[in-house]
Amino acid sequence: MRSGVPENAGELRKIWGAFRASRVLMTANHYRLFDHLSTPRSAKNLAEILQTDPRATEILLDAVTGLGLLVKKHGRYSNSDMAMQFLVKGKPYYQGDIISHADALWKNWSGLDQVVKTGKPCRRERDHEAFIMGMHNLASMKAGKILRLVGLTGVRNALDLGGGPGTYAIEMAKRGVNVTLFDSPETIDVAEKIIGNHGKLGIRLVGGDFMVDDIGKGYDLVFVSQILHAYSVAENQKLLRKCRQSLSKGGRVAVQEFYIHRERTHPLQGALFSVNMLVNTESGRCYSPEEIKSWLSKAKLEDIRERFCDDSVLISATRK
């Protein structure tokens, strides 16, 4: 403590002020600044291109530079290496779609006070295509690693349940697996465009409600990636029983979810993602590995195994 001021006061300021950097990035992404700054430009020139206010544009550019996403030299701005890699549309690991989705979440999270009072979600903004494309942004960086951990040896027929953009289905199909991608009809419309960019992979697309509709049978693998957090305990138990019934003898269910400790307070990313589910769903949250393993056991699946990959936990179980 110096001069009577606690030294950790700055840590609190970092927490309440964190929104400012996020909002600057979202606005920069909204105006597609990074697409225009592969070559250096002045603030005035960029404002003319974007048809934005020159003073406001310059202040925004300076802040984005302060974040380390731009380089300013002789009054001209250009992308940093990070921006060139992740924020220019068309790059292999482009992340602009998930940032656009975060922009929609911003509006929903702004209703958190009321959500906590009522327990009901706040859906002020919804951009389904940005959400699905954002999932593709994230999955494209780790799909190969995740599927190596899942293991595809002996897998001929697989179901990518709630597979969103089809990123994992594409990787499985490239490895010779016959894949069925099952998701809502509006999601399948987006996935069809993404999959079409990869040539003829023979992925079977099925639109429906996997909680209600038939999901098929005879699968060697049912991949359940990042969907359990959107549903209640009872719904997830029902879904995993359904997955077991769809497996061939010896087939596996593999669940990928964001990791959260059994106390559900850490890591922070998991605890905050539970808030995201509170804001956006009727009954979802992050579930601990212990909870997921108990559901798999109740579904009469055996040989339950747990692995970790970055911020995800992978849990697999077998139908004997």
Side-chain angles (χ1 to χ4, degrees), residues 126-287:
R126 185 176 184 270
D127 187 337
H128 189 72
E129 183 162 354
F131 167 59
I132 298 302
M133 291 300 299
M135 297 305 99
H136 180 59
N137 290 169
L138 296 176
S140 64
M141 295 192 291
K142 63 178 183 177
K145 185 192 297 186
I146 292 292
L147 290 175
R148 282 192 294 273
L149 289 174
V150 169
L152 297 178
T153 302
V155 176
R156 293 167 297 175
N157 299 303
L159 172 63
D160 189 0
L161 187 67
T167 318
Y168 290 98
I170 290 166
E171 291 300 316
M172 285 190 275
K174 286 180 177 178
R175 289 161 172 76
V177 178
N178 298 314
V179 187
T180 298
L181 171 61
F182 193 115
D183 213 314
S184 68
E186 63 178 338
T187 298
I188 290 297
D189 288 342
V190 181
E192 192 169 18
K193 298 173 188 175
I194 296 170
I195 293 169
N197 293 330
H198 292 266
K200 295 183 178 180
L201 293 174
I203 297 170
R204 180 171 170 255
L205 301 175
V206 180
D209 180 349
F210 50 70
M211 285 293 182
V212 176
D213 299 330
D214 181 17
I215 61 174
K217 293 187 182 300
Y219 301 115
D220 304 305
L221 174 68
V222 176
F223 187 50
V224 185
S225 179
Q226 308 289 21
I227 61 174
L228 298 185
H229 57 240
Y231 298 95
S232 69
V233 170
E235 288 171 319
N236 287 328
Q237 290 176 331
K238 176 183 176 182
L239 182 62
L240 291 176
R241 289 194 299 269
K242 193 172 186 177
C243 289
R244 181 195 182 277
Q245 293 167 0
S246 75
L247 290 171
S248 298
K249 187 176 181 181
R252 290 178 292 135
V253 172
V255 175
Q256 179 187 189
E257 275 297 334
F258 294 116
Y259 171 66
I260 194 166
H261 186 266
R262 71 181 69 184
E263 293 294 331
R264 300 201 295 271
T265 58
H266 64 277
L268 176 60
Q269 187 67 20
L272 290 176
F273 193 79
S274 275
V275 178
N276 191 50
M277 292 298 97
L278 172 67
V279 169
N280 289 284
T281 70
E282 293 287 344
S283 52
R285 64 169 170 84
C286 270
Y287 296 103

Side-chain angles (χ1 to χ4, degrees), residues 16-28:
W16 67 251
F19 76 92
R20 295 176 292 193
S22 300
R23 185 64 260 173
V24 163
L25 174 56
M26 290 175 198
T27 297

Side-chain angles (χ1 to χ4, degrees), residues 32-43 45-47 49 61 69-73 75-81 83-84 88 91:
R32 308 291 291 274
L33 261 63
F34 306 103
D35 289 354
H36 296 284
L37 293 176
S38 295
T39 56
R41 296 183 187 277
S42 67
N45 177 230
L46 188 61
I49 293 170
L61 288 169
L69 297 174
L70 296 177
V71 176
K72 184 179 182 181
K73 190 174 182 180
R76 289 155 68 86
Y77 302 83
S78 59
N79 290 332
S80 68
D81 290 342
M84 285 296 292
V88 176
K91 295 288 185 178

